[in-house]
Amino acid sequence: LTCRFGRSSTSHPSNTWVSSHPGLHRYMSYVGAIDQGTSSSRFIVYDDKGKPIASHQEEFRSIQPKEGYVEHDPLVLLQTVQSCIEKVAGQIDVKKLQAIGITNQRETTIVWDKITGKPLHNAIVWLDTRTKQTCLEISKNRDEFREICGLPLSPYFSATKMRWLSQQIKEVRDAITNGSCMMGTVDSWLIWNLTGGKNGGVHVTDVTNASRTMLMNLKTLQWDDQVCRTVGIPKEILPTIKSSAEIYGNISEGPIKGVPIAGCLGDQQAALLGQKCFSEGDVKNTYGTGCFMLYNTGKKPIFSKHGLLTTVAWQLGPKKEPVYALEVLFNLISSWKFFLDFKLNSI
């Protein structure tokens, strides 16, 4: 299921794509993949040979209220995903769909009320830089938590976005106080809603997404008490951390109701796996909103002395050992894209 999430294998010239040979798939079973990215959402279905048979993609706009701020409407993220599923479901025999997985833009942070099911603020996107001062409030030492979480203190990661939201947004503070607040990354928001939302939705994340928050201990694969306490994030509002390959819950409604969600990886780790970088020393580059290089370091986390990020590559089952990676981001591509997008929308 998860091995087909690499971006390069699913490029089609139009928003909707269906196999021109449906008869070949008469006796096959299918798996599906939700790809929720920085500028679009997509749903792809693959046959049991790993070949894509149907796909639909929908783009959306980012919200840029001021310089350095980049936001998404969480409801738009959810609605575009649901729309893509509906479009593809109309092109296949949904009874053959055995399971779906999720890959998503990482670090982007969403906060919502578990009673109403509504977002308490727009999602703060991974490349948003509003939390520079927040980082200084936490510590003057950028490497304060690197030995624990593998990451420097930076506006890039979810923890500082979570702290900003809890300090600056009254609705978030109130929800934390009354016990109705939920925080997470995009995968958590989607899984919670797709499995029932306020009517029993499952609040989980996987180790790859959790490793990008700056709050997870790379060795225990759990939220770290020291880091959460220092940053000021109560662990009870965070999702339960699961492996990248297990059944988290079932789709609660819609054309694929009852289908299990059985895989989840952050987009760059999914690309590493999708490009078959299974062995220690394998490396991949992907080019999109940003340019990301990930290097498979095997079963032990390696802490770089040259500024590379240490992250979880995947954990393919709750009883499986995790695999780790080193990562570097070249952000020039995303900077130019969002600069041009902002300028063109301002004219």
Side-chain angles (χ1 to χ4, degrees):
L1 176 63
T2 55
C3 287
R4 301 303 304 176
F5 285 170
R7 292 178 180 273
S8 65
S9 62
T10 57
S11 177
H12 300 294
S14 62
N15 286 346
T16 303
W17 179 86
V18 182
S19 170
S20 58
H21 301 287
L24 296 176
H25 309 290
R26 185 176 302 169
Y27 305 109
M28 292 181 174
S29 57
Y30 305 150
V31 292
I34 294 169
D35 178 1
Q36 201 302 298
T38 310
S39 56
S40 70
S41 299
R42 177 167 48 176
F43 184 59
I44 314 136
V45 170
Y46 300 91
D47 66 21
D48 54 13
K49 303 297 183 183
K51 295 182 178 180
I53 62 168
S55 174
H56 182 75
Q57 181 175 6
E58 294 188 7
E59 295 185 348
F60 54 85
R61 289 190 179 277
S62 296
I63 302 164
Q64 296 156 317
K66 61 175 70 175
E67 184 178 355
Y69 283 46
V70 185
E71 300 176 353
H72 288 156
D73 183 340
L75 295 176
V76 170
L77 302 186
L78 176 62
Q79 289 161 3
T80 54
V81 165
Q82 291 172 325
S83 177
C84 289
I85 290 174
E86 184 176 345
K87 293 289 196 306
V88 171
Q91 303 293 333
I92 65 169
D93 182 353
V94 295
K95 294 179 181 178
K96 296 180 180 179
L97 189 61
Q98 302 300 304
I100 69 167
I102 293 174
T103 185
N104 57 281
Q105 55 169 311
R106 306 170 304 167
E107 297 98 18
T108 296
T109 302
I110 302 176
V111 57
W112 67 97
D113 189 299
K114 66 182 179 183
I115 297 174
T116 67
K118 295 181 179 179
L120 297 171
H121 191 270
N122 281 335
I124 301 181
V125 178
W126 55 274
L127 44 70
D128 184 290
T129 60
R130 76 184 68 185
T131 61
K132 289 179 180 179
Q133 183 59 39
T134 304
C135 292
L136 295 175
E137 293 170 2
I138 295 170
S139 176
K140 300 295 192 297
N141 179 10
R142 291 188 75 245
D143 294 324
E144 180 80 19
F145 309 122
R146 191 184 282 270
E147 292 288 320
I148 298 172
C149 66
L151 306 173
L153 190 54
S154 168
Y156 181 38
F157 305 110
S158 307
T160 62
K161 305 177 196 299
M162 292 178 179
R163 180 182 171 104
W164 186 92
L165 286 163
S166 65
Q167 289 184 333
Q168 301 297 324
I169 307 302
K170 181 181 183 299
E171 292 82 359
V172 176
R173 294 198 303 273
D174 291 346
I176 291 174
T177 300
N178 66 33
S180 65
C181 182
M182 285 184 165
M183 274 191 187
T185 41
V186 171
D187 57 306
S188 298
W189 168 248
L190 292 178
I191 293 172
W192 186 78
N193 278 285
L194 293 174
T195 58
K198 64 182 180 180
N199 298 312
V202 182
H203 192 210
V204 298
T205 188
D206 92 296
V207 291
T208 67
N209 281 291
S211 72
R212 310 300 295 183
T213 62
M214 212 179 74
L215 298 174
M216 190 189 80
N217 187 302
L218 284 179
K219 295 178 181 178
T220 67
L221 304 183
Q222 297 298 320
W223 304 120
D224 188 85
D225 289 333
Q226 176 189 340
V227 180
C228 287
R229 184 168 54 252
T230 304
V231 177
I233 305 301
K235 292 200 299 182
E236 56 267 24
I237 72 175
L238 298 173
T240 301
I241 300 175
K242 299 283 189 178
S243 76
S244 308
E246 59 181 281
I247 295 176
Y248 312 115
N250 296 333
I251 301 293
S252 63
E253 60 183 13
I256 61 171
K257 180 179 179 180
V259 173
I261 303 174
C264 181
L265 294 113
D267 56 4
Q268 299 309 316
Q269 288 96 329
L272 185 70
L273 190 60
Q275 297 300 328
K276 300 182 180 179
C277 296
F278 304 140
S279 302
E280 184 176 342
D282 286 350
V283 63
K284 70 85 188 171
N285 248 17
T286 49
Y287 303 88
T289 309
C291 172
F292 298 85
M293 184 181 74
L294 269 73
Y295 178 97
N296 184 329
T297 62
K299 299 297 178 63
K300 293 183 179 180
I302 294 177
F303 297 92
S304 170
K305 296 180 181 179
H306 304 285
L308 277 70
L309 308 177
T310 305
T311 194
V312 177
W314 56 72
Q315 183 192 18
L316 299 182
K319 296 182 179 180
K320 299 291 186 179
E321 286 187 271
V323 172
Y324 296 89
L326 286 171
E327 175 174 339
V328 62
L329 160 66
F330 302 96
N331 204 25
L332 182 62
I333 294 174
S334 61
S335 298
W336 273 107
K337 180 184 183 299
F338 279 89
F339 172 77
L340 291 172
D341 187 42
F342 180 77
K343 289 299 183 182
L344 289 173
N345 288 335
S346 299
I347 297 174

